[in-house]
Amino acid sequence: MMEELLAILTEAVPGVDFELETALVDDEILESLDIVTIVSEIKDAFDVEITVDDLIPQNFNSVEAMLALIEARQN
Amino acid sequence: MSFTTLPFLILVGASVVLYYVVPKQCQWVLLLAASMVFYCVGGGKTVLYVFYTAATVYTATLALGHWNTLKRNAPKEDKKAITAKYKPHRRAVVAAACLANFVLLYVLKYWNFTADLLQPAVDVLIPGAQIPLSELVLPLGVSFFMFQSVGYVIDVYRDKYQPEKNFLKLLLFVSFFPQMVQGPISRFDALAPQLLAKRSVNYTDLKYGIQLVMWGYFKKLVIADRTAVLVNTVMDDPWSHSGSVLAFAIFFYCIQLYGDFSGGIDITRGVARMFGIDLAENFRQPIFSTSLTDFWRRWHITLGAWMRDYLFYPLSLSKPFGRLGKFTRKHIKGKLGKIIPTSLATFIIYFVIGIWHGANWRYVAFGFWNGAIITMSLLLAPKYVQWKEKLHINEDSRWWHLFQMVRTNILVFFGRYITRAPRFLTAVWMVKETFLHPHWPDLWNGTLMTLGLTGGDFLVIALGVLVLLCAEWYEEKHGSVRAMLETKSPLVQCVAILVPLVVLFCFGVLRADYISSDFIYKQF
């Protein structure tokens, strides 16, 4: 799952080391357009429902946080 | 009540003194009383609209808070059933609260524009019938306090925090007087706890507040109000001027608008800081923007953030946009198919930001201008990457960065033709004149000296803009100028307060034919 998510992120926002970054939103590496693109991809790839309520910085600051969000929604 | 009037200064001075004199548990009551005085003295009936918004928001959030509590306190196995049971109620309440405010805003701000549009159709269908026009006066800061309040309702709906149960405390959040003229649009969780905090006098807060207020007045009185003289002279009769003079007036309008709006926000934040309240930033050196998207992240930040959280995200993640996304991915291969829904949502947001400014074809066109450019840049992004590779452009080079800044400021400059011209078609004509009949000698043959400003005024504007640019550059590179001053000796700090004060009095307040114009964003 991690590899698939990393592939989505790298395609959506090239040139970012997603495995190292831990403040993607707080440091404005990801902006709103990127987040919406990533969410659309995640919804399709993992068949999960992500709503507006999930769009908070904590859920998108790192690849681990995104993974945790996906797993929470799958459960 | 304008920020540039004596009654405002008296209100601020008296409120600050009393704030630290009254018992701490009454401090928020004093802020509320000062806000009501501000409205009653300066805004007349505006206070009724503030009460209306506060009442609708209060009722809605209490109901939402009740259902949120039921859900929160329910046993784990019942949570889903309770959520499903109250979902229609919650949606109805949040929709009702939004409608109650936005319908009123529509009537106040856009009804007459709509009536003018529909009247020709009515003339054909029902000859002689007249669509009634609204005679309501647009209340002071209505867009700002309604957007702030609706944001609060949506946050409670999303269960981000508990609703305020004390109506008067909520009324203070809706009506806190420094931010009522032109924002910023604050969030409840950031502002309300600060409004209700109990405070002792804090020297640093007072000093920062006064410095920020003076910096704001410098931008407004010394720079913006001076440039306004030339801008108004040209725009009152644009047809009598050559294309170069029109371009020069728009250039001055860019300076005026930034000095006026960011100066007003500095005064707002400075006054709030004197009460120990730290309001959200609304500007972050927009002149250094490298794209139009970047510009809107740095200009009127709180409006952009509001649009992002309460319109862009819900729109982008809505079911119709989800279906559109699936359709475009299936039928349009590659990145284009993926980004079409996001691009469409982006266009809608910038279009809404445009018409947020007012009911006029100029603002419709302004929204279209920004939306179209940003959407095109999104759609063409893959092509840009290819072009940059072909041209061997180093994205990290200083020259590329400078090119991006110049390009963005040119786009913003042409956007200002639309918002400042008396009418949209006049703006189109003005752009045409700039390119086709510029008559460049008008910029140095003395024509500019006939537009209401003296040579001394031009010098003051030039020096003022230079000081402003230096401060902006410093903040972009190193951070807060005030924080830097804090590290200097008391003597330097005193000079840093006294010099601007003298400049303000000499070139702002005591200007011979000084007439302060109202804040531009007040009308929005």
Side-chain angles (χ1 to χ4, degrees), chain B residues 302-372:
Chain B
T302 55
L303 177 69
W306 196 98
M307 292 288 175
R308 180 197 64 209
D309 290 349
Y310 303 116
L311 201 55
F312 178 70
Y313 283 155
L315 193 64
S316 301
L317 298 183
S318 65
K319 281 181 182 156
F321 269 74
R323 282 197 289 271
L324 174 68
K326 278 183 183 155
F327 178 83
T328 55
R329 276 160 210 243
K330 193 175 168 189
H331 293 90
I332 304 171
K333 295 292 170 207
K335 185 147 181 158
L336 186 65
K338 291 179 182 176
I339 62 171
I340 282 179
T342 317
S343 304
L344 179 62
T346 305
F347 179 81
I348 292 171
I349 296 308
Y350 283 100
F351 191 72
V352 172
I353 288 178
I355 56 174
W356 172 88
H357 289 81
N360 194 305
W361 283 114
R362 287 180 297 140
Y363 297 121
V364 173
F366 183 60
F368 194 83
W369 168 257
N370 284 291

Side-chain angles (χ1 to χ4, degrees), chain B residues 381-511:
Chain B
K383 290 278 172 209
Y384 289 158
V385 175
Q386 290 173 6
W387 294 339
K388 274 185 265 183
E389 277 173 9
K390 275 185 187 166
L391 295 169
H392 304 291
I393 290 169
N394 175 10
E395 288 191 33
D396 297 325
S397 76
R398 200 174 286 181
W399 290 110
W400 176 245
H401 196 74
L402 187 66
F403 166 75
Q404 286 180 304
M405 271 171 46
V406 172
R407 179 193 60 187
T408 306
N409 280 289
I410 288 173
L411 290 174
V412 172
F413 170 77
F414 281 106
R416 296 297 178 218
Y417 271 85
I418 303 171
T419 54
R420 186 55 187 91
R423 293 172 65 235
F424 172 62
L425 289 178
T426 313
V428 176
W429 173 82
M430 282 165 51
V431 174
K432 203 176 81 184
E433 285 296 292
T434 300
F435 284 106
L436 298 182
H437 307 107
H439 199 256
W440 297 112
D442 281 355
L443 295 182
W444 56 80
N445 65 8
T447 305
L448 296 182
M449 304 303 281
T450 64
L451 301 173
L453 293 179
T454 64
D457 285 324
F458 280 109
L459 186 64
V460 171
I461 291 169
L463 291 175
V465 170
L466 187 65
V467 171
L468 186 58
L469 281 176
C470 288
E472 297 274 300
W473 177 83
Y474 185 89
E475 300 225 331
E476 180 73 5
K477 290 284 169 196
H478 306 288
S480 166
V481 171
R482 283 179 296 124
M484 179 268 287
L485 282 175
E486 196 65 16
T487 62
K488 304 293 176 192
S489 67
L491 180 69
V492 174
Q493 291 191 36
C494 277
V495 170
I497 288 183
L498 286 174
V499 170
L501 201 61
V502 172
V503 170
L504 260 179
F505 267 90
C506 293
F507 300 109
V509 182
L510 298 182
R511 198 177 150 216

Side-chain angles (χ1 to χ4, degrees), chain B residues 246-263:
Chain B
L246 293 171
F248 190 82
I250 294 298
F251 170 63
F252 259 40
Y253 178 63
C254 293
I255 299 170
Q256 181 201 352
L257 191 61
Y258 184 54
D260 187 282
F261 191 18
S262 75

Side-chain angles (χ1 to χ4, degrees), chain A residues 11 31 33 40-41 44 52, chain B residues 158 297 317 329 338 346:
Chain A
E11 198 200 333
E31 52 186 62
L33 292 171
S40 305
E41 293 291 325
D44 268 9
V52 180
Chain B
R158 291 174 179 172
R297 272 199 301 269
L317 298 183
R329 276 160 210 243
K338 291 179 182 176
T346 305

Side-chain angles (χ1 to χ4, degrees), chain B residues 6-290:
Chain B
L6 192 58
F8 176 76
L9 294 178
I10 293 171
L11 177 68
V12 170
S15 308
V16 171
V17 171
L18 287 172
Y19 184 75
Y20 293 109
V21 170
V22 297
K24 286 195 174 77
Q25 59 269 30
C26 298
Q27 284 178 319
W28 71 268
V29 180
L30 187 114
L31 290 181
L32 179 61
S35 300
M36 291 302 115
V37 169
F38 179 81
Y39 278 111
C40 292
V41 173
K45 288 177 186 166
T46 300
V47 73
L48 297 176
Y49 294 104
V50 172
F51 269 94
Y52 170 81
T53 295
T56 54
V57 164
Y58 178 73
T59 315
T61 49
L62 277 192
L64 291 168
H66 170 67
W67 291 318
N68 288 345
T69 310
L70 282 180
K71 188 177 79 178
R72 213 176 298 119
N73 294 341
K76 203 175 174 184
E77 60 273 20
D78 295 343
K79 272 191 200 299
K80 224 172 185 177
I82 288 185
T83 306
K85 183 181 174 188
Y86 292 115
K87 195 175 177 182
H89 303 75
R90 295 173 71 248
R91 283 193 170 179
V93 166
V94 77
C98 293
L99 280 175
N101 284 281
F102 285 147
V103 167
L104 179 62
L105 185 64
Y106 174 79
V107 171
L108 288 165
K109 208 167 167 176
Y110 303 101
W111 173 252
N112 289 353
F113 178 67
T114 317
D116 283 345
L117 278 182
L118 296 177
Q119 190 59 50
V122 171
D123 287 341
V124 174
L125 295 171
I126 318 165
Q130 188 75 29
I131 300 176
L133 296 177
S134 162
E135 290 177 3
L136 295 169
V137 178
L138 195 62
L140 182 69
V142 63
S143 301
F144 297 101
F145 69 75
M146 279 193 181
F147 271 60
Q148 178 168 301
S149 304
V150 167
Y152 164 63
V153 177
I154 297 172
D155 281 349
V156 173
Y157 170 75
R158 291 174 179 172
D159 203 10
K160 275 181 76 177
Y161 34 72
Q162 302 272 13
E164 175 56 64
K165 292 196 170 70
N166 183 326
F167 177 73
L168 293 179
K169 287 180 180 174
L170 181 68
L171 184 63
L172 174 59
F173 166 71
V174 175
S175 68
F176 181 49
F177 78 95
Q179 61 178 47
M180 281 306 110
V181 176
Q182 49 185 359
I185 302 168
S186 299
R187 302 297 170 92
F188 183 81
D189 52 345
L191 180 58
Q194 295 195 75
L195 292 171
L196 304 175
K198 294 166 185 169
R199 290 193 175 81
S200 304
V201 183
N202 183 309
Y203 169 69
T204 308
D205 278 341
L206 282 176
K207 188 176 66 180
Y208 268 29
I210 290 169
Q211 283 174 345
L212 203 48
V213 166
M214 288 204 314
W215 180 234
Y217 277 124
F218 170 78
K219 288 182 188 172
K220 167 70 177 159
L221 299 179
V222 178
I223 300 175
D225 283 354
R226 247 188 193 77
T227 48
V229 175
L230 184 142
V231 174
N232 293 340
T233 306
V234 174
M235 291 303 149
D236 283 348
D237 183 19
W239 303 275
S240 306
H241 301 283
S242 65
S244 60
V245 171
L246 293 171
F248 190 82
I250 294 298
F251 170 63
F252 259 40
Y253 178 63
C254 293
I255 299 170
Q256 181 201 352
L257 191 61
Y258 184 54
D260 187 282
F261 191 18
S262 75
I265 290 290
D266 285 343
I267 297 168
T268 295
R269 296 186 71 230
V271 170
R273 189 67 189 255
M274 285 190 234
F275 297 111
I277 294 163
D278 198 11
L279 289 178
E281 267 191 303
N282 222 20
F283 289 94
R284 205 175 56 238
Q285 302 90 43
I287 194 163
F288 294 104
S289 308
T290 52

Side-chain angles (χ1 to χ4, degrees), chain B residues 362-382:
Chain B
R362 287 180 297 140
Y363 297 121
V364 173
F366 183 60
F368 194 83
W369 168 257
N370 284 291
I373 291 173
I374 291 168
T375 307
M376 286 308 288
S377 69
L378 279 174
L379 294 173
L380 292 174

